[in-house]
Amino acid sequence: FSIPVLQRYIRFARSIKPHFCHEAAEQLKNEYVRLRVNDLTAQRGAYRITVRQLESLVRLSEALARVHCESTITVAHVKEAARLLSNSILKVEHPDLVLGDQDQQQPAGRETMVEEEVRETREQQEETTRRQTITYEEYEKIKQAVILFFRESERSGEESTGVVQSDIVNWYLDKNLDSIQTTEQAKQVSLLIHGVIQRLISQEKILIVVRDARDFKDRLLQLHPNLSLEA
């Protein structure tokens, strides 16, 4: 086809205002329900089917009808639109995280007796937070909550010298008090948050220790200066 012919075809296709026939409308509903059901049965897909995807189905169906220069959207158009949308959806599966596996910082060079004593005490304390399994979604939830805590502290001017680690944990527990039923559950959540914080320090480099302490719960922490406040 010549360029002028293609241009006339595109102009004509754009002028078409297709509408759904009854069968196509039913198929559209069924395809959307199928996508929703498949999304709910996925283990931990990061993608969620919403009304936005329903709108995409409608637009794709209309586009396919225009491509074929048809004024009525058929069942075949809807099925092809659903196939294209399904193939375009990227579901990112994240495995569970095991806190503590690589979160322990190794000493650099020779240690003084005091440093060695602090390290040994720290290792005994951190033993309780090792080998904790957490889903990626729960890890991200706690991570974003911790970052939010620091940002709010920065904006209120309370974080100029740092934040004590135990204050972060207590803030998170208070914020989620309704979902914590027992003292044992609060203890487990507390250990989990400490484990997440340690990972944010040693692996993700989102937090930094500005003042160490014998008890890791008393460490003074800050957001890494390279982490944008608006990120």
Side-chain angles (χ1 to χ4, degrees), residues 130-195:
R130 293 183 184 180
R131 302 295 303 175
Q132 295 183 96
T133 301
I134 182 174
T135 65
Y136 179 83
E137 288 75 15
E138 185 65 19
Y139 173 78
E140 282 294 315
K141 175 185 173 183
I142 297 176
K143 169 184 167 180
Q144 294 303 324
V146 170
I147 293 175
L148 175 64
F149 175 85
F150 276 94
R151 286 173 172 167
E152 290 179 347
S153 298
E154 285 180 349
R155 292 188 179 107
S156 62
E158 298 175 358
E159 198 254 341
S160 57
T161 59
V163 176
V164 178
Q165 182 166 326
S166 59
D167 289 344
I168 305 171
V169 177
N170 292 335
W171 170 83
Y172 188 89
L173 292 175
D174 289 341
K175 187 178 179 182
N176 296 273
L177 202 57
D178 293 341
S179 62
I180 300 174
Q181 306 298 326
T182 65
T183 303
E184 182 61 27
Q185 187 180 1
K187 180 180 178 181
Q188 291 301 320
V189 174
S190 175
L191 291 175
L192 198 63
I193 300 169
H194 282 298

Side-chain angles (χ1 to χ4, degrees), residues 20 48-49 57 100 105 127 143 147 151 165 201-202 206 226-227:
F20 284 87
R48 290 293 176 263
I49 302 300
L57 269 178
Q105 295 178 335
E127 188 67 35
K143 169 184 167 180
I147 293 175
R151 286 173 172 167
Q165 182 166 326
I201 295 170
S202 60
I206 289 176
N226 290 339
L227 186 67

Side-chain angles (χ1 to χ4, degrees), residues 43-46 91-99 132-140 199:
Q43 289 185 352
R44 280 185 300 276
K91 290 189 176 181
V92 182
E93 300 291 339
H94 295 282
D96 291 347
L97 299 176
V98 180
L99 302 177
Q132 295 183 96
T133 301
I134 182 174
T135 65
Y136 179 83
E137 288 75 15
E138 185 65 19
Y139 173 78
E140 282 294 315
R199 186 183 180 90

Side-chain angles (χ1 to χ4, degrees), residues 55-70:
E55 294 173 351
S56 297
L57 269 178
V58 173
R59 299 291 177 264
L60 280 171
S61 300
E62 292 174 341
L64 286 166
R66 290 192 181 97
V67 166
H68 292 89
C69 297
E70 297 177 2

Side-chain angles (χ1 to χ4, degrees), residues 30-127:
N30 294 337
E31 293 291 351
Y32 178 65
V33 170
R34 181 182 61 82
L35 288 171
R36 290 279 292 178
V37 170
N38 290 343
D39 187 62
L40 289 173
T41 55
Q43 289 185 352
R44 280 185 300 276
Y47 201 97
R48 290 293 176 263
I49 302 300
T50 65
V51 177
R52 190 177 294 272
Q53 281 66 55
L54 176 59
E55 294 173 351
S56 297
L57 269 178
V58 173
R59 299 291 177 264
L60 280 171
S61 300
E62 292 174 341
L64 286 166
R66 290 192 181 97
V67 166
H68 292 89
C69 297
E70 297 177 2
S71 59
T72 300
I73 299 170
T74 65
V75 171
H77 295 147
V78 175
K79 287 184 176 179
E80 179 63 11
R83 186 189 69 82
L84 292 171
L85 183 62
S86 296
N87 291 339
S88 70
I89 293 175
L90 177 63
K91 290 189 176 181
V92 182
E93 300 291 339
H94 295 282
D96 291 347
L97 299 176
V98 180
L99 302 177
D101 271 357
Q102 299 174 340
D103 294 341
Q104 311 305 319
Q105 295 178 335
Q106 299 298 323
R110 299 184 61 181
E111 299 174 285
T112 66
M113 291 183 63
V114 174
E115 290 172 337
E116 184 177 359
E117 184 180 352
V118 169
R119 178 178 58 80
E120 290 176 352
T121 303
R122 176 75 50 72
E123 288 176 351
Q124 292 174 3
Q125 295 168 344
E126 292 179 345
E127 188 67 35

